[in-house]
């Protein structure tokens, strides 16, 4: 049986809970897990002050645990995790899966800002909406996501994929402004609409959108064609549960190259209407 | 042992351990996938003269390919693991990359031994190429005049078996050809097996070396050549006037054995006198496929 955490006392200020990773909880009983230390505001507290803990953790680092409740003030869940699985029945706070290297996080609700910043592997799936800076570089850092997958079924805020170098950010709804700003490589797929200034300062990488978008003047039209790799990519997103249409898989896309203020080796692919 | 009145000789086919890769070639239509596959596997009948052996394994429906387009599965074999990547780079680069609408994927994704074929071919992109990771597999997008050529970065390589065979000994050439065609038809599409020779059939079986020319690696199999019956140590039964050979390469011995069973049964038809097999006395190849044991359904002993 795996551990299950149910929020019984919602924190009044942000609760920093880096301890909520499969590796940290491995082999712990419910009472032991409840004794783990978290930071509530500027004070240390026990995890059990906020959560009812049941069950026993799976052995090893590859276990699974569940969180239930409105965790929108619980930060750093799954930060740095390397394997295992976290399922969150509810919404979750900032810095979900920050710098994670492997494993999987499933959020049945919404996620706040900074989902998966600078992650290098693994997968984060948000069934609802996500805030700003999904898969982004931390402020002051030049490189964002270096690997792994972030899938958001709903909308995201601004700067999704900021500075990403590898990996995938897939957004089922709309993306805010500056998606893919300063991208180094990697792929952003937006099934909805892109906000303003997508790809600003991108060097390489791909931004794919299914709706018309006004790009910066530093992007140049190349051609209209059917990129074969998109068939593989969109088929994968469909397997992950995103509502990808057949017309998007087999469709033709305008290819725009940019950003000319940088290497000009990036691309924005826009599904032909 | 008789099968449909055809003598199954008490002998075995002797085969070799080779290195094999499986390629999945897709295209916009089955026609273009086949065009690429035929060029890729052309002049790849025997390592004796072609440095590699290859053939089309089976047709693939759109649902069975990575990109959801129709395609073909190809097996590609060499005698050693050093030369397999080089042959693949040469041939894919000249025949699949050049062919309209095609893409090339690895058909052995779970094999740990990886060949950096796409990684080498990406250089054709002259710095304009780009890689994409989908799931845990990396692909290269190589810009070409048509649009883009997509190829997987690495291809799996595993040990395979080359040189499975059986001989169809017939009363005349027409009967031999009809039996060979029936055998090929029965074996076509068998998983894990290709027939690398033209139409799957060999008319010029060979022996090792030469009785007369020192530099010849392989020369005519005079013991099974009807026109030489009176001047050599012939192994042809009375009444045999034409012999055709089926050569099989595959991913493993079990696949070869299964296909041989289908092929031999189909070949035992009117006009065929006997089914035999080529071997070297068991001294060269580690894989022995005993005809009677195969037809009785017994598994062959492990490779020696």
């Amino acid at each position: 049986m795996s551990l299950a955490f149910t929020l019984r006392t919602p924190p009044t200020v942000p609760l920093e809970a880096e301890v909520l990773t499969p590796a940290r909880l491995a082999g712990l009983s419910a009472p032991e897990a409840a004794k783990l230390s978290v930071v509530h505001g500027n004070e240390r507290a026990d995890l059990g002050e906020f959560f009812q803990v049941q069950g026993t953790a799976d052995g090893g680092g590859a276990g699974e645990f569940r969180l239930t409740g409105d965790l929108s003030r619980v930060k750093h869940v799954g930060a740095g995790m390397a394997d295992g699985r976290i399922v969150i029945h509810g919404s979750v706070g900032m810095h979900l899966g920050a710098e994670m290297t492997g494993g999987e996080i499933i959020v049945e609700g919404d996620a706040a800002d900074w989902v998966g910043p600078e992650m290098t592997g693994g997968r984060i799936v948000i069934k609802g909406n996500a805030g700003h800076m999904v898969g982004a570089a931390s402020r002051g850092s030049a490189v964002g996501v270096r690997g792994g997958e972030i899938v958001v079924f709903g909308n995201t805020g601004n700067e999704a994929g900021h500075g990403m170098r590898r990996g995938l950010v897939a957004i089922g709804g709309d993306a805010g402004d500056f998606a893919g700003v300063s991208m180094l490589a990697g792929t952003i797929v937006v099934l909805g609409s892109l906000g303003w200034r997508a790809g600003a300062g991108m060097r390489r990488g791909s931004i794919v959108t299914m709706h018309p978008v006004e790009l910066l003047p530093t992007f140049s039209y190349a051609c209209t064609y059917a990129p074969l790799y998109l068939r593989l990519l969109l088929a994968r997103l469909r397997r992950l549960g995103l509502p990808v249409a057949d017309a998007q898989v087999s469709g033709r896309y305008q290819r725009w190259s940019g950003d000319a203020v940088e290497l000009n080796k990036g691309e924005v692919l826009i599904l032909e209407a | 042992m008789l099968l449909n009145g055809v003598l199954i000789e008490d002998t075995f086919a002797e085969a070799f351990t080779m290195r094999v890769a499986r390629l999945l070639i897709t295209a916009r239509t089955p026609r273009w996938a086949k065009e690429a596959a035929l060029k890729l596997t052309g002049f790849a009948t025997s390592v004796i003269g072609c440095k590699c052996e290859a053939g089309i394994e089976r047709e693939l429906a759109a649902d069975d390919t990575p990109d959801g387009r129709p395609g073909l599965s190809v097996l590609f074999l060499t005698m050693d693991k050093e030369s397999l990547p080089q042959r693949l780079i040469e041939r894919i680069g000249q025949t699949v990359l050049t062919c309209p609408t095609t893409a090339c994927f690895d058909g052995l994704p779970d094999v740990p031994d990886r060949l950096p074929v796409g990684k080498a071919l990406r250089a054709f992109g002259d710095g304009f190429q780009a890689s994409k990771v989908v799931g845990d597999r990396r692909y290269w997008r190589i810009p070409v005049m048509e649009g883009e050529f997509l190829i997987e970065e690495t291809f799996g390589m595993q040990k395979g078996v080359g040189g499975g065979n059986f001989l169809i000994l017939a009363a005349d050439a027409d009967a031999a050809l009809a039996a060979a065609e029936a055998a090929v038809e029965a074996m076509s599409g068998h998983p894990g097996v290709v027939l690398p020779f033209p139409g799957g059939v060999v008319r010029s079986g060979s022996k090792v070396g030469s009785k007369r020319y020192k530099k010849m690696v392989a020369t005519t199999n005079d013991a099974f050549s009807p026109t030489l019956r009176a001047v050599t140590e012939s192994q042809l039964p009375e009444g045999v006037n034409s012999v055709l050979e089926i050569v099989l390469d595959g991913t493993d011995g079990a696949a070869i054995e299964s296909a041989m069973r289908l092929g031999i049964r189909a070949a035992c038809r009117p006009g065929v006198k006997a089914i035999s097999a080529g071997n070297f006395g068991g001294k060269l190849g580690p894989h022995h496929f005993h005809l009677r044991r195969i037809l009785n359904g017994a598994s062959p002993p492990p490779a020696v």
Side-chain angles (χ1 to χ4, degrees), chain A residues 125-178:
Chain A
V125 178
I126 311 292
K127 298 289 180 67
N129 299 318
H132 301 303
M133 315 303 294
V134 171
S138 299
R139 293 299 185 211
S141 174
V143 183
V145 167
R146 295 173 174 84
E149 298 173 330
I150 301 176
V151 180
V152 180
F153 280 61
N155 303 321
T156 66
N158 299 334
E159 298 188 46
H162 177 156
M164 70 186 293
R165 170 166 280 171
R166 276 186 287 273
L168 169 69
V169 174
I171 300 164
D174 299 333
D177 297 339
F178 285 102

Side-chain angles (χ1 to χ4, degrees), chain B residues 79-197:
Chain B
M79 289 303 292
D80 60 272
K81 55 184 176 184
E82 288 75 23
S83 61
L84 185 54
Q86 193 55 42
R87 298 287 90 76
L88 286 171
I89 291 164
E90 291 167 356
R91 288 185 175 239
I92 294 173
Q94 297 302 313
T95 63
V96 186
L97 185 153
T98 57
C99 183
T101 79
T102 59
C104 193
F105 303 100
D106 174 33
L108 296 173
D110 300 324
V111 171
D113 221 347
R114 310 302 301 171
L115 306 176
V117 175
K119 190 175 183 180
L121 284 170
R122 82 188 196 284
F124 182 75
D126 198 21
F128 296 105
Q129 72 275 9
S131 76
K132 283 294 168 192
V133 175
V134 179
D136 58 356
R137 295 165 76 165
R138 181 178 294 278
Y139 305 87
W140 283 98
R141 302 165 59 195
I142 302 173
V144 292
M145 294 191 300
E146 178 204 47
E148 279 180 353
F149 173 59
L150 187 70
I151 183 169
E152 196 147 356
E153 178 168 74
T154 65
F155 287 71
M157 173 178 67
Q158 68 178 35
K159 286 184 178 179
V161 178
N165 70 82
F166 59 91
L167 302 171
I168 301 168
L169 283 54
D172 55 52
D174 288 345
L177 187 60
E181 289 174 346
V184 170
E185 176 69 21
M187 293 184 287
S188 292
H190 191 291
V193 171
V194 294
L195 312 176
F197 281 89

